[in-house]
Amino acid sequence: MALKCGIVGLPNVGKSTLFNCLSNAKAQSANFPFCTIEPNVGVITVPDGRLNQLAELVHPEKIVPTTVEIVDIAGLVKGASKGEGLGNKFLANIRETDAIIHVLRCFDDPNVVHVDGRIDPVRDREIIDTELQIKDLETVESRIAKVRKQAQTGGDKQAKQMCEVLVRYREALEQGRNARTVAFETKDEQKMARELFLLTNKPVLYVCNVDEASAASGNAFVDRVRESLSSEQAEMLIVAAGTESEIAELDTFEEREMFLREAGLEESGVNRLIKTAYKLLDLETFLTAGPQEVRAWTYRRGSRAPQCAGVIHSDFEKGFIRAEVIRYDDYVLYGSEAAVKEAGKMNVEGKDYVVQDGDIMHFRFNV
């Protein structure tokens, strides 16, 4: 399941610094692998302490974490929707992502020039949002003209419903609101809305890039961003990218832990960002554990057992018979699969079972 988050932001907000920190995430993830596909794309492991805990019990040959692709998207300037600067490349790249990590500069540093002369993260956010809204409005207007004709001449009910969806989006965009602020009640409308693939309908995580002193509690810039997001379905995270780059360069786990404690942080911002991005994509993890490997598998929240079996191999889903499920806490408590079975804590589940995050699964199938 190749899922991709794009990092966006104005010039000099710390976007590339943050990407470089993520590129070194292997140092904070118990030697999990990291590989670069091309200079601006990285496959980042999702930190999950459960894998290490299971490995201590199972002693597998290898540990395989789950991953998310992170893309450092070209910087944006005003007029990107009209092709200014690298606008066309920016918009093409962002369209290919599943979610957006929008970096906002929430620190003051006279040595780092701001593209607009002064620090204002709310204005910076609005610049990028406006460019994306303009592009979405172009898409919506074009579709309305086509769909309205189908609805009027052919009496197409679906076309009429799609036209209503598009009109609601147009109203929101013309008011300077993102598409994700528009809520649809029926499943048909929700499906139509998703199929439009609007840029401002993608889930977004706003990352407030702060100085080291503000890493734990934020600052006035962060407060302003938080207030501006009150009416929007969006996540916000505070990260000190400069501090994170220093942490990434430390050689040992102990040194990194000490650095974090001194900064008043329980966990690195990079790890928090990766986990939040994973959840932003509406993803969860089920696990498999055996002598060959302990492995994390990505699935969409709410998926049933056969669909999760299909994540491993399509044959598992086609020939699904049942799933043997152990709760992660039970596995750790009893120490082995055999002990869990003896305690009667292994459940046998059928096709309607909704998989839970952290379930340790074994699928029975026949093809």
Side-chain angles (χ1 to χ4, degrees), residues 157-204:
K157 289 184 179 180
Q158 273 197 324
K160 184 180 179 182
Q161 193 173 23
M162 173 59 88
C163 194
E164 292 170 357
V165 168
L166 289 163
V167 167
R168 286 192 61 189
Y169 273 142
R170 182 175 65 183
E171 290 172 354
L173 292 164
E174 287 177 339
Q175 293 168 11
R177 293 190 290 120
N178 290 320
R180 73 181 69 88
T181 64
V182 181
F184 296 99
E185 294 182 3
T186 71
K187 288 185 177 179
D188 285 344
E189 288 176 330
Q190 291 167 5
K191 183 173 183 290
M192 288 177 178
R194 284 194 302 271
E195 290 173 351
L196 290 170
F197 299 106
L198 297 179
L199 299 172
T200 64
N201 207 24
K202 293 179 184 290
V204 62

Side-chain angles (χ1 to χ4, degrees), residues 9-11 15 73-78 80 87 90-91 127-128 131-132:
L10 294 178
K15 179 172 63 71
I73 292 175
L76 175 135
V77 295
K78 286 182 181 178
F90 174 93
L91 294 166
I127 287 172
I128 288 186
E131 296 301 327
L132 299 182

Side-chain angles (χ1 to χ4, degrees), residues 75-239:
L76 175 135
V77 295
K78 286 182 181 178
S81 58
K82 304 301 180 185
E84 293 292 328
L86 294 173
N88 289 329
K89 181 180 179 183
F90 174 93
L91 294 166
N93 286 343
I94 203 170
R95 199 176 293 282
E96 294 172 1
T97 65
D98 299 290
I100 299 168
I101 299 171
H102 187 161
V103 182
L104 299 169
R105 179 171 169 177
C106 293
F107 67 90
D108 204 350
D109 185 342
N111 296 317
V112 182
V113 178
H114 191 284
V115 68
D116 276 342
R118 65 185 178 87
I119 311 303
D120 187 344
V122 174
R123 176 207 56 207
D124 294 353
R125 168 182 167 253
E126 289 171 351
I127 287 172
I128 288 186
D129 279 0
T130 298
E131 296 301 327
L132 299 182
Q133 288 164 10
I134 291 170
K135 206 66 183 176
D136 277 350
L137 191 55
E138 289 178 9
T139 301
V140 168
E141 293 279 14
S142 174
R143 288 294 300 274
I144 284 177
K146 190 181 296 183
V147 172
R148 183 170 279 164
K149 197 172 183 180
Q150 291 175 343
Q152 290 173 345
T153 58
D156 190 329
K157 289 184 179 180
Q158 273 197 324
K160 184 180 179 182
Q161 193 173 23
M162 173 59 88
C163 194
E164 292 170 357
V165 168
L166 289 163
V167 167
R168 286 192 61 189
Y169 273 142
R170 182 175 65 183
E171 290 172 354
L173 292 164
E174 287 177 339
Q175 293 168 11
R177 293 190 290 120
N178 290 320
R180 73 181 69 88
T181 64
V182 181
F184 296 99
E185 294 182 3
T186 71
K187 288 185 177 179
D188 285 344
E189 288 176 330
Q190 291 167 5
K191 183 173 183 290
M192 288 177 178
R194 284 194 302 271
E195 290 173 351
L196 290 170
F197 299 106
L198 297 179
L199 299 172
T200 64
N201 207 24
K202 293 179 184 290
V204 62
L205 167 63
Y206 291 99
V207 176
C208 294
N209 184 17
V210 300
D211 54 27
E212 184 175 343
S214 307
S217 56
N219 55 31
F221 292 128
V222 173
D223 293 339
R224 289 191 57 211
V225 173
R226 185 180 287 112
E227 184 180 349
S228 74
L229 295 174
S230 59
S231 62
E232 187 169 330
Q233 295 178 350
E235 296 278 344
M236 191 194 83
L237 196 66
I238 301 170
V239 173

